[in-house]
Amino acid sequence: SYRSNPLDIIIFSDTIYTAESLLIHKHDFFEIVYIEKGGGLHQINDVLYPMLKGDLYIMSPCDSHSASLDKRMSYVNILFKESLFSIKDWDYLRSLPGLSILNNKQNKNNLHKLSLSPMAANVFKHLYLKIKSEYEQKDYGWEINVRSICAQALVVISRSGLTSDNLRLTKNLKQGPIAKAIHHINENWQQKISLNDLAKRCFLSKYYFGTMFQAEVGMTAQQYINKLKIEHARILLENQELNISDVSDAIEFQNNNYF
């Protein structure tokens, strides 16, 4: 019967009540993650992204990714396979600007992270709830509706990727002074890194660098460094018999009491 013929799509939402780390992994499906509340760190291939409210991520089966999820982070997930769509519709969707990731090939120009505007976020959440309702109720014709609504969600992602903010975000995470600073932080997080040092490496004033970093990453440079240190601390606490003081010393956290 039509009720026993599920499509190649899974949808769910969740709230994290204790901080969690997801080890590096791949899927045999495409994954869309929208951050409703809270944050964390998300590494896709070799790029580390700070996760913030309003962020949307899209990954293909060829993308390796891991994540550190903060306590009380809320998110929604849409997992789907190419076979959800007809060949004609799939070819059209992956030809849209910003959706080259649907070609399922590792490409440094693939857009993995978007920051949705409030309007785009509301549209995406509305579409997610419609997919969820159709999927759960499975009334007559639900398969057609799910395919159609999922396609609409991908069009929203495509259009959001063309905004100036997202084009600038993608560019600056891969090239330019902020990319240079992030690379230096990722490579030297165990050492003491000052805002002055980062600014000098980028040939910018301390004030301009700080303003630019926060505008393009969504947090200050020090907050980014602290999040990175805390992520490594979680790994140490989970895999080694160390106490909190030892871990704090190992990652050279600035304030042991705060840590």
Side-chain angles (χ1 to χ4, degrees), residues 233 236-237 240-253 256 259:
L236 288 174
L237 288 169
Q240 299 185 34
E241 294 182 358
L242 298 174
N243 59 41
I244 291 178
S245 179
D246 290 336
V247 171
S248 178
D249 290 339
I251 66 170
E252 296 191 5
F253 205 78
N256 284 6
F259 176 77

Side-chain angles (χ1 to χ4, degrees), residues 186-205:
N186 291 347
E187 293 293 319
N188 300 278
W189 63 270
Q190 288 179 297
Q191 303 174 21
K192 184 177 180 180
I193 302 174
S194 69
L195 187 60
N196 277 329
D197 178 53
L198 290 172
K200 287 179 181 178
R201 287 177 178 275
C202 297
F203 303 102
L204 298 171
S205 70

Side-chain angles (χ1 to χ4, degrees), residues 153-170:
L154 288 169
V155 170
V156 170
I157 293 171
S158 171
R159 291 177 178 177
S160 295
L162 295 178
T163 65
S164 60
D165 285 346
N166 280 311
L167 291 173
R168 178 169 53 84
L169 173 67
T170 304

Side-chain angles (χ1 to χ4, degrees), residues 117 197 217 231:
S117 67
D197 178 53
V217 179
E231 165 62 7

Side-chain angles (χ1 to χ4, degrees), residues 99-124:
L99 293 182
S100 59
I101 194 170
L102 298 182
N103 291 305
N104 194 20
K105 295 178 180 178
Q106 279 200 344
N107 186 328
K108 65 180 181 179
N109 294 318
N110 278 344
L111 186 64
H112 289 102
K113 173 178 177 174
L114 293 172
S115 294
L116 297 187
S117 67
M119 181 178 295
N122 286 336
V123 172
F124 180 83

Side-chain angles (χ1 to χ4, degrees), residues 8-12 25-34 42 56-63 65 76-85 90-91 93-94 98-106 110-112 124 150 154 157:
D8 283 331
I9 185 171
I10 298 174
I11 55 168
F12 63 90
H25 60 283
K26 288 184 178 181
H27 306 297
D28 62 350
F29 47 78
F30 293 86
E31 179 176 8
I32 298 172
V33 182
Y34 174 71
H42 196 178
L56 182 143
Y57 295 86
I58 179 167
M59 285 82 68
S60 76
C62 71
D63 291 317
H65 59 110
V76 300
N77 246 163
I78 300 177
L79 316 174
F80 64 94
K81 292 187 176 182
E82 176 182 341
S83 53
L84 175 66
F85 303 97
W90 183 251
D91 286 344
L93 286 168
R94 65 184 185 175
L99 293 182
S100 59
I101 194 170
L102 298 182
N103 291 305
N104 194 20
K105 295 178 180 178
Q106 279 200 344
N110 278 344
L111 186 64
H112 289 102
F124 180 83
C150 190
L154 288 169
I157 293 171

